[in-house]
Amino acid sequence: MSAGEEDGASSTKTPTVDPDEILVRQIKVGGGRPLFFDETRAAPPFVDRSLFLPSPNDVDGLSLIRLRYRSEVWAAFRSNTPDQRYRLARLLPSALIECARSVGIEWLHFNPSPDGLDRQHGEPWAHCNVQEINRKDYENKSDRTAKDRILA
Amino acid sequence: MWDQCIDALLGIWNTSGSIPEPAPSNATIDAAIRILREMRRIDPTNTPICIVPAPDGGIIVEWRNDLNGTESIQTVAFLNDGTIEIVTYRDGFAESRTLEEGFPT
């Protein structure tokens, strides 16, 4: 079963996300860079976990890009911020789903949804959202802990 | 090491250009410094390992400890909306979470 199939019929012609395809999360340059780190006790993190929390832009779910449909060069670009380039963190849907299950969330839906580049170029869309990891639930204090657990 | 932590917070004013917006607010930095000073007074040996800017505006301070062979991570997030969020992770999963509304005065 693909990582977006449980939802039933979809209006998009974009194929559902395969659990083993590579997705990337855009990270702002400088984002997650420690202001202080005690290197005598551990190696500094490459990226901080806080960058995987849903941002105010992630209303419909955590925003990810499918490398199956977009090159890494273009995955580091956003049409609404053309002067910026983003670093990319690779994720596997199967690993995220496994992590979600371990905290009692049975399934994650990776819903294809167009971003600025997809709207310019049409389907198949490269952008998708992880429906269960969304800003609204994150801000809803009763539901937020479970999302924290996934993202930890 | 505590002094370096507090210096890093004070230094945000000089490095704010390199911190993605929204940068931590004055009130957030002030609250973080006051609470870190209090924590230093209570337990001088338990220094933070990491301080990072929170993606939505704020400061996250992290402690790591080894508990019976498993790594325990505690984060205290001072957020620009006045919230303090304390989360304890064990082996990569959140074990407990506490939310305080409003910075202490």
Side-chain angles (χ1 to χ4, degrees):
Chain A
M1 180 160 49
S2 294
E5 272 184 4
E6 283 204 343
D7 232 0
S10 167
S11 59
T12 174
K13 294 172 187 167
T14 299
T16 52
V17 174
D18 186 320
D20 294 319
E21 71 173 275
I22 296 172
L23 309 178
V24 292
R25 170 83 170 160
Q26 291 182 327
I27 293 171
K28 280 183 187 174
V29 173
R33 182 183 298 159
L35 300 162
F36 163 82
F37 195 88
D38 184 354
E39 293 187 27
T40 64
R41 291 156 64 194
F46 180 65
V47 289
D48 190 77
R49 68 176 70 79
S50 61
L51 296 171
F52 298 93
L53 297 172
S55 74
N57 293 328
D58 296 319
V59 175
D60 296 326
L62 195 72
S63 187
L64 301 173
I65 294 168
R66 307 170 70 178
L67 290 188
R68 180 172 286 180
Y69 297 119
R70 188 174 294 172
S71 71
E72 283 162 320
V73 170
W74 284 103
F77 174 86
R78 283 187 199 173
S79 54
N80 60 341
T81 53
D83 296 330
Q84 278 191 41
R85 294 293 180 273
Y86 293 81
R87 296 159 71 199
L88 304 175
R90 288 172 170 241
L91 299 165
L92 274 181
S94 55
L96 274 177
I97 290 167
E98 186 182 340
C99 201
R101 282 192 174 142
S102 73
V103 294
I105 298 174
E106 274 307 303
W107 198 252
L108 295 177
H109 295 89
F110 294 76
N111 299 328
S113 65
D115 63 4
L117 279 175
D118 288 327
R119 277 189 282 271
Q120 286 178 35
H121 297 284
E123 297 202 55
W125 297 327
H127 182 264
C128 67
N129 300 110
V130 188
Q131 181 181 312
E132 287 73 14
I133 307 174
N134 64 74
R135 186 67 184 186
K136 187 179 171 189
D137 286 348
Y138 181 73
E139 289 178 343
N140 178 350
K141 293 174 176 58
S142 63
D143 197 36
R144 190 168 161 183
T145 305
K147 303 300 181 287
D148 277 352
R149 285 174 179 161
I150 295 172
L151 293 161
Chain B
M1 205 55 78
W2 280 104
D3 286 342
Q4 289 177 39
C5 294
I6 291 167
D7 285 349
L9 294 173
L10 292 169
I12 291 174
W13 304 118
N14 297 326
T15 58
S16 59
S18 64
I19 296 175
E21 290 293 329
S25 68
N26 292 6
T28 302
I29 295 169
D30 178 60
I33 290 172
R34 281 189 289 116
I35 289 174
L36 284 187
R37 282 182 172 152
E38 182 63 14
M39 293 175 88
R40 175 173 61 179
R41 190 186 64 77
I42 294 167
D43 185 359
T45 62
N46 191 20
T47 54
I49 191 167
C50 182
I51 300 175
V52 291
D56 300 330
I59 294 161
I60 301 172
V61 186
E62 179 177 316
W63 284 261
R64 290 186 201 173
N65 291 294
D66 183 73
L67 291 179
N68 302 321
T70 62
E71 185 181 51
S72 170
I73 297 175
Q74 187 171 62
T75 62
V76 179
F78 302 88
L79 304 176
N80 283 354
D81 66 1
T83 304
I84 300 175
E85 184 186 51
I86 303 165
V87 184
T88 301
Y89 300 90
R90 182 78 63 90
D91 270 352
F93 289 94
E95 191 176 59
S96 67
R97 174 174 166 272
T98 309
L99 206 61
E100 302 285 341
E101 302 286 350
F103 294 141
T105 52

